[in-house]
Amino acid sequence: MEARFLGIAELAGTPPVAVVVDVMRAFTVAAWAFGRGAEKIVLAGSPADALALKARHPDWVALKDGPPAPGFDTVNSPGLLRSLDLGGRTVVQKTTAGTVGALAVKEASLVLCAGFVVAGATARLLRQHGCDAVTFVVTGEEGRAEEDLACAQYIARSTSGGGTDATPFLRRAAGSRAAAELTGGVRQGAHPDDVALCLELDRFPFAMVASLEDSLMVLRPCAAPAPGDEASP
């Protein structure tokens, strides 16, 4: 499999297959939302868009980066989200990098959103689809976020077959600027467990597929083949 690793601004045209990576914290939060029972996640283009969707659908759960804000139900923190009961609910998510990256490739034929918590399932789904070329969108720090690049490279190697040791990739992510900022309290709307939760490899058995539904970019969990059952690339 040919893998490209690009920042959002480096995208030229729409790739046929894209894996959008945001480890800390957008797609770790998304995975936890599905783990807590959410039916789907609508990826909003702006805070105003998220609030407009919330106004039209008061029962939807709206979340954003940063500190709590009027109109939003919660913030982009897996440590805080894990205590919520989201059974059957729709979540509206707006983040600084992850949702922006997914919307940037919304016309792709296959869009997966990923972090370490769904890395194995993401790799297996790519193998099942027999993808010859995949563009990994490294969303943080203009495509230079070490935690996102490490996760993307780990998924790419895992997709190519054979056992891949996740330890060095997780170590890189643990030493990233984002991890330091979350641990040091630089980022608002965080929980002390956020970094550990973002580095929990394969916490969830599903991949996450984003697609356009009635002009909205909607993220849903997708069952991935069990290890060893996926098709060869």
Side-chain angles (χ1 to χ4, degrees):
M1 183 193 77
E2 178 186 351
R4 297 192 306 160
F5 305 92
L6 301 176
I8 297 170
E10 297 171 317
L11 291 166
T14 300
V17 178
V19 177
V20 187
V21 181
D22 189 326
V23 172
M24 297 185 188
R25 292 163 287 170
F27 297 137
T28 301
V29 166
W32 269 99
F34 291 130
R36 298 300 298 159
E39 177 185 350
K40 64 183 179 182
I41 298 174
V42 177
L43 305 178
S46 69
D49 289 345
L51 290 175
L53 286 166
K54 173 71 176 179
R56 293 200 297 272
H57 306 277
D59 58 322
W60 288 10
V61 178
L63 65 86
K64 60 177 280 295
D65 275 337
F72 288 90
D73 300 287
T74 187
V75 295
N76 192 50
S77 161
L80 296 172
L81 194 77
R82 64 182 170 174
S83 64
L84 299 182
D85 179 4
L86 298 174
R89 305 286 294 278
T90 293
V91 173
V92 180
Q93 185 180 35
K94 169 66 183 88
T95 69
T96 305
T99 58
V100 176
L103 289 168
V105 293
K106 63 183 180 181
E107 301 294 342
S109 58
L110 177 63
V111 179
L112 304 181
C113 295
F116 281 111
V117 292
V118 294
T122 302
R124 295 194 301 274
L125 193 62
L126 288 170
R127 284 177 61 83
Q128 184 184 55
H129 280 266
C131 300
D132 296 323
V134 177
T135 296
F136 289 86
V137 183
V138 180
T139 61
E141 299 177 32
E142 299 181 347
R144 305 296 179 263
E146 188 65 14
E147 74 281 3
D148 293 342
L149 182 59
C151 183
Q153 291 172 340
Y154 172 72
I155 293 171
R157 292 194 188 184
S158 299
T159 302
S160 297
T164 301
D165 182 7
T167 303
F169 300 94
L170 290 167
R171 186 180 300 120
R172 286 166 55 193
S176 68
R177 174 181 173 183
E181 290 181 351
L182 285 168
T183 302
V186 175
R187 298 190 183 188
Q188 295 181 292
H191 185 279
D193 293 342
D194 277 356
V195 172
L197 292 172
C198 289
L199 299 180
E200 193 174 5
L201 184 68
D202 297 336
R203 173 65 179 79
F204 300 102
F206 50 79
M208 300 187 294
V209 179
S211 59
L212 287 170
E213 298 182 17
D214 297 326
S215 79
L216 296 176
M217 193 64 165
V218 177
L219 187 63
R220 295 181 183 273
C222 178
D229 290 346
E230 68 274 17
S232 298

XYZ file of all heavy atoms in Angstrom, residues 152-214:
458
model
N -0.646 7.736 12.445
C -0.837 7.488 11.014
C 0.194 6.488 10.497
O -0.149 5.562 9.736
C -0.731 8.806 10.245
N 1.424 6.641 10.896
C 2.473 5.723 10.441
C 2.257 4.316 11.003
O 2.503 3.325 10.310
C 3.843 6.269 10.831
C 4.221 7.513 10.048
C 5.485 8.185 10.544
O 5.907 7.969 11.683
N 6.091 9.000 9.701
N 1.780 4.248 12.224
C 1.489 2.932 12.812
C 0.370 2.235 12.042
O 0.474 1.050 11.718
C 1.113 3.082 14.288
C 0.619 1.796 14.896
C 1.508 0.748 15.150
C -0.730 1.605 15.184
C 1.057 -0.460 15.684
C -1.185 0.415 15.726
C -0.284 -0.618 15.971
O -0.728 -1.800 16.490
N -0.695 2.963 11.738
C -1.804 2.362 10.976
C -1.317 1.924 9.598
O -1.662 0.835 9.117
C -2.977 3.353 10.861
C -3.606 3.607 12.236
C -4.041 2.823 9.887
C -4.631 4.726 12.255
N -0.513 2.769 8.946
C -0.017 2.435 7.609
C 0.802 1.148 7.642
O 0.636 0.270 6.783
C 0.820 3.587 7.066
N 1.677 1.011 8.610
C 2.493 -0.200 8.704
C 1.633 -1.412 9.054
O 1.860 -2.508 8.535
C 3.594 -0.013 9.736
C 4.647 1.004 9.317
C 5.889 0.918 10.183
N 6.801 2.010 9.888
C 8.009 2.141 10.434
N 8.427 1.251 11.317
N 8.772 3.164 10.122
N 0.659 -1.211 9.906
C -0.220 -2.314 10.278
C -1.052 -2.772 9.092
O -1.361 -3.964 8.948
C -1.142 -1.886 11.427
O -0.396 -1.532 12.577
N -1.429 -1.838 8.238
C -2.222 -2.172 7.058
C -1.437 -3.021 6.075
O -2.003 -3.856 5.365
C -2.692 -0.878 6.363
O -3.441 -0.103 7.283
C -3.568 -1.184 5.158
N -0.121 -2.835 6.059
C 0.722 -3.555 5.099
C 0.946 -5.001 5.485
O 1.564 -5.756 4.740
C 2.070 -2.830 4.958
O 1.856 -1.530 4.442
N 0.453 -5.397 6.633
C 0.548 -6.791 7.037
C 1.686 -7.040 8.006
O 2.620 -6.246 8.146
N 1.620 -8.177 8.693
C 2.643 -8.525 9.666
C 2.426 -7.801 10.983
O 1.714 -6.800 11.060
N 3.060 -8.305 12.013
C 2.928 -7.668 13.323
C 3.757 -6.395 13.401
O 4.919 -6.369 12.991
N 3.156 -5.343 13.902
C 3.848 -4.070 14.073
C 3.830 -3.706 15.548
O 2.751 -3.612 16.149
C 3.170 -2.956 13.253
O 3.179 -3.315 11.865
C 3.903 -1.631 13.424
N 4.989 -3.497 16.116
C 5.094 -3.132 17.524
C 4.657 -1.682 17.689
O 5.253 -0.769 17.106
C 6.532 -3.319 17.994
C 6.709 -3.009 19.478
O 5.701 -2.785 20.177
O 7.875 -2.980 19.924
N 3.619 -1.470 18.488
C 3.097 -0.116 18.674
C 3.911 0.709 19.660
O 3.766 1.933 19.706
C 1.650 -0.183 19.158
N 4.788 0.077 20.416
C 5.475 0.768 21.510
C 6.194 2.041 21.087
O 6.001 3.096 21.712
C 6.450 -0.190 22.210
O 5.737 -1.341 22.679
C 7.121 0.503 23.386
N 7.033 2.009 20.037
C 7.728 3.253 19.680
C 6.803 4.351 19.189
O 7.075 5.540 19.404
C 8.702 2.810 18.577
C 8.154 1.526 18.058
C 7.468 0.879 19.207
N 5.709 3.981 18.570
C 4.756 4.970 18.084
C 4.015 5.620 19.255
O 3.818 6.844 19.283
C 3.774 4.322 17.114
C 4.428 3.725 15.900
C 4.780 2.375 15.875
C 4.717 4.503 14.791
C 5.389 1.819 14.762
C 5.332 3.957 13.674
C 5.676 2.617 13.662
N 3.620 4.803 20.215
C 2.960 5.340 21.401
C 3.922 6.203 22.216
O 3.522 7.221 22.779
C 2.422 4.196 22.262
C 1.230 3.426 21.674
C 0.995 2.138 22.450
C -0.028 4.287 21.677
N 5.194 5.813 22.249
C 6.187 6.608 22.974
C 6.340 7.987 22.330
O 6.444 9.001 23.031
C 7.522 5.873 22.998
C 8.583 6.555 23.860
C 9.883 5.780 23.854
N 9.702 4.437 24.371
C 9.947 3.332 23.686
N 10.354 3.406 22.418
N 9.777 2.139 24.232
N 6.360 8.017 21.022
C 6.443 9.312 20.327
C 5.244 10.181 20.666
O 5.378 11.381 20.913
C 6.522 9.089 18.816
C 7.865 8.581 18.327
C 7.769 8.071 16.896
N 7.224 9.083 15.995
C 6.815 8.808 14.759
N 6.864 7.565 14.297
N 6.350 9.773 13.983
N 4.066 9.580 20.662
C 2.852 10.344 20.963
C 2.864 10.849 22.409
O 2.454 11.984 22.685
C 1.618 9.478 20.722
N 3.351 10.009 23.318
C 3.408 10.410 24.725
C 4.356 11.582 24.946
O 4.161 12.374 25.882
C 3.831 9.223 25.582
N 5.358 11.692 24.098
C 6.306 12.792 24.212
C 5.967 13.994 23.360
O 6.796 14.912 23.225
N 4.791 14.034 22.806
C 4.403 15.115 21.883
C 4.082 16.407 22.614
O 3.839 16.434 23.824
C 3.187 14.682 21.058
O 2.034 14.563 21.896
N 4.060 17.456 21.839
C 3.691 18.765 22.380
C 2.264 18.749 22.918
O 1.987 19.313 23.987
C 3.825 19.813 21.269
C 3.345 21.201 21.652
C 3.492 22.139 20.470
N 2.906 23.440 20.736
C 2.856 24.426 19.837
N 3.361 24.240 18.623
N 2.300 25.576 20.142
N 1.360 18.104 22.202
C -0.032 18.054 22.648
C -0.142 17.359 23.996
O -0.882 17.804 24.882
C -0.890 17.328 21.611
N 0.580 16.249 24.166
C 0.535 15.536 25.441
C 1.056 16.414 26.569
O 0.490 16.441 27.669
C 1.350 14.253 25.340
N 2.139 17.149 26.290
C 2.707 18.032 27.309
C 1.737 19.142 27.676
O 1.594 19.501 28.858
C 4.025 18.615 26.807
N 1.060 19.689 26.691
C 0.107 20.771 26.966
C -1.095 20.272 27.755
O -1.589 20.982 28.649
C -0.330 21.407 25.652
C 0.769 22.213 24.978
C 0.320 22.858 23.681
O -0.790 22.540 23.204
O 1.081 23.677 23.140
N -1.557 19.074 27.442
C -2.687 18.527 28.186
C -2.272 18.191 29.622
O -2.993 18.495 30.577
C -3.220 17.271 27.489
C -4.046 17.511 26.222
C -4.263 16.210 25.461
C -5.388 18.154 26.558
N -1.115 17.598 29.769
C -0.634 17.239 31.102
C -0.346 18.477 31.941
O -0.607 18.499 33.154
C 0.635 16.375 30.995
O 0.340 15.192 30.232
C 1.136 15.963 32.370
N 0.173 19.513 31.289
C 0.551 20.733 32.003
C -0.577 21.714 32.224
O -0.353 22.791 32.788
N -1.774 21.373 31.782
C -2.912 22.250 31.990
C -2.967 23.446 31.064
O -3.720 24.395 31.314
N -2.200 23.401 29.970
C -2.199 24.511 29.014
C -3.521 24.566 28.251
O -4.039 25.646 27.969
C -1.015 24.374 28.035
C -1.083 25.457 26.951
C 0.308 24.450 28.788
N -4.048 23.406 27.926
C -5.299 23.350 27.168
C -6.482 23.286 28.127
O -6.507 22.467 29.048
C -5.309 22.135 26.239
C -4.208 22.164 25.194
C -4.412 21.088 24.153
N -3.327 21.074 23.181
C -3.325 20.342 22.077
N -4.360 19.552 21.798
N -2.307 20.384 21.246
N -7.447 24.137 27.875
C -8.637 24.153 28.715
C -9.615 23.071 28.281
O -9.538 22.533 27.170
C -9.301 25.524 28.647
C -8.456 26.651 29.233
C -9.172 27.979 29.155
O -9.389 28.524 28.074
N -9.547 28.505 30.320
N -10.559 22.769 29.171
C -11.540 21.736 28.862
C -10.934 20.349 28.817
O -11.289 19.537 27.963
N -10.006 20.081 29.729
C -9.309 18.802 29.747
C -9.546 18.084 31.066
O -9.940 18.680 32.070
C -7.817 18.999 29.517
N -9.271 16.784 31.055
C -9.358 15.937 32.242
C -7.971 15.331 32.468
O -7.244 15.065 31.499
C -10.400 14.828 32.016
C -10.667 13.981 33.206
N -9.834 12.929 33.573
C -11.660 14.004 34.123
C -10.313 12.351 34.656
N -11.423 12.977 35.017
N -7.566 15.093 33.701
C -6.234 14.525 33.954
C -5.969 13.197 33.254
O -4.807 12.848 33.009
C -6.224 14.351 35.486
C -7.186 15.362 35.994
C -8.262 15.451 34.959
N -7.003 12.459 32.919
C -6.830 11.159 32.264
C -6.795 11.245 30.740
O -6.655 10.208 30.078
C -7.965 10.205 32.669
C -7.919 9.827 34.138
O -6.856 9.995 34.774
O -8.955 9.367 34.656
N -6.930 12.425 30.180
C -7.074 12.538 28.728
C -5.913 11.919 27.959
O -6.117 11.185 26.985
C -7.250 14.002 28.311
C -8.688 14.482 28.453
O -9.557 13.664 28.801
O -8.934 15.687 28.215
N -4.686 12.218 28.352
C -3.537 11.698 27.602
C -3.510 10.172 27.651
O -3.341 9.502 26.615
C -2.218 12.284 28.134
C -1.021 11.582 27.484
C -2.144 13.781 27.844
N -3.691 9.607 28.821
C -3.687 8.144 28.938
C -4.793 7.517 28.093
O -4.583 6.484 27.437
C -3.846 7.742 30.406
N -5.950 8.129 28.074
C -7.056 7.598 27.282
C -6.771 7.696 25.785
O -7.149 6.813 25.013
C -8.349 8.338 27.621
C -8.901 8.084 29.029
C -10.070 9.026 29.316
C -9.332 6.635 29.206
N -6.090 8.759 25.379
C -5.747 8.929 23.965
C -4.684 7.929 23.507
O -4.556 7.664 22.305
C -5.249 10.348 23.708
S -6.527 11.622 23.809
N -3.915 7.397 24.441
C -2.832 6.468 24.113
C -3.209 5.018 24.391
O -2.351 4.142 24.383
C -1.572 6.835 24.905
C -1.006 8.229 24.634
C 0.228 8.478 25.479
C -0.693 8.412 23.151
N -4.487 4.754 24.613
C -4.952 3.393 24.883
C -5.167 2.680 23.548
O -6.163 2.884 22.866
C -6.235 3.427 25.700
C -6.608 2.086 26.279
C -7.809 2.154 27.198
O -8.423 3.232 27.310
O -8.133 1.122 27.794
N -4.236 1.844 23.184
C -4.256 1.195 21.877
C -5.426 0.221 21.755
O -5.647 -0.618 22.623
C -2.941 0.446 21.658
C -2.761 -0.214 20.293
C -2.615 0.830 19.199
C -1.549 -1.139 20.308
N -6.173 0.375 20.660
C -7.259 -0.549 20.307
C -8.283 -0.727 21.430
O -8.774 -1.829 21.674
C -6.687 -1.910 19.891
C -5.831 -1.823 18.641
O -6.032 -0.880 17.857
O -4.963 -2.696 18.451
N -8.613 0.369 22.073
C -9.635 0.329 23.130
C -10.986 -0.108 22.570
O -11.772 -0.767 23.257
C -9.744 1.711 23.769
C -10.878 1.874 24.785
C -10.646 1.003 25.994
N -11.691 1.146 26.997
C -12.886 0.574 26.946
N -13.206 -0.188 25.904
N -13.768 0.749 27.917
N -11.238 0.239 21.299
C -12.537 -0.055 20.691
C -12.353 -0.954 19.470
O -11.369 -0.822 18.734
C -13.246 1.239 20.306
C -13.495 2.138 21.486
C -12.696 3.249 21.723
C -14.516 1.864 22.383
C -12.910 4.073 22.816
C -14.742 2.677 23.488
C -13.930 3.782 23.705
N -13.313 -1.841 19.194
C -13.165 -2.825 18.116
C -13.642 -2.335 16.752
O -13.576 -3.088 15.781
C -14.040 -3.984 18.598
C -15.153 -3.303 19.346
C -14.515 -2.124 20.035
N -14.137 -1.115 16.681
C -14.702 -0.621 15.431
C -13.795 0.444 14.799
O -12.976 1.063 15.469
C -16.089 -0.013 15.674
C -16.133 0.985 16.814
C -15.694 2.291 16.642
C -16.614 0.611 18.064
C -15.729 3.209 17.685
C -16.651 1.514 19.120
C -16.200 2.819 18.931
N -13.974 0.619 13.490
C -13.405 1.764 12.792
C -14.489 2.835 12.717
O -15.648 2.599 13.104
C -12.941 1.363 11.392
N -14.144 4.018 12.234
C -15.111 5.113 12.144
C -15.091 5.676 10.726
O -14.054 6.148 10.246
C -14.794 6.203 13.173
C -14.830 5.693 14.609
S -14.658 7.005 15.865
C -12.967 7.549 15.558
N -16.237 5.607 10.072
C -16.367 6.020 8.675
C -17.205 7.288 8.599
O -18.300 7.365 9.165
C -17.027 4.917 7.830
C -17.170 5.363 6.378
C -16.219 3.630 7.913
N -16.683 8.292 7.885
C -17.399 9.555 7.690
C -17.875 9.647 6.253
O -17.143 9.313 5.321
C -16.498 10.742 8.024
N -19.102 10.117 6.085
C -19.645 10.279 4.735
C -20.695 11.375 4.748
O -21.226 11.739 5.803
C -20.253 8.968 4.226
O -21.289 8.540 5.080
N -20.992 11.888 3.566
C -21.990 12.940 3.439
C -23.381 12.339 3.497
O -23.697 11.390 2.780
C -21.795 13.693 2.123
C -20.584 14.628 2.068
C -20.365 15.130 0.642
C -20.757 15.813 3.023
N -24.207 12.907 4.361
C -25.608 12.512 4.480
C -26.440 13.791 4.505
O -26.379 14.549 5.460
C -25.845 11.710 5.761
C -25.060 10.404 5.838
C -25.361 9.605 7.096
O -26.390 9.891 7.741
O -24.567 8.712 7.437
N -27.172 14.031 3.417
C -28.001 15.240 3.328
C -27.186 16.498 3.617
O -27.581 17.354 4.416
C -29.188 15.153 4.287
C -30.127 14.005 3.943
O -30.280 13.721 2.739
O -30.675 13.392 4.866
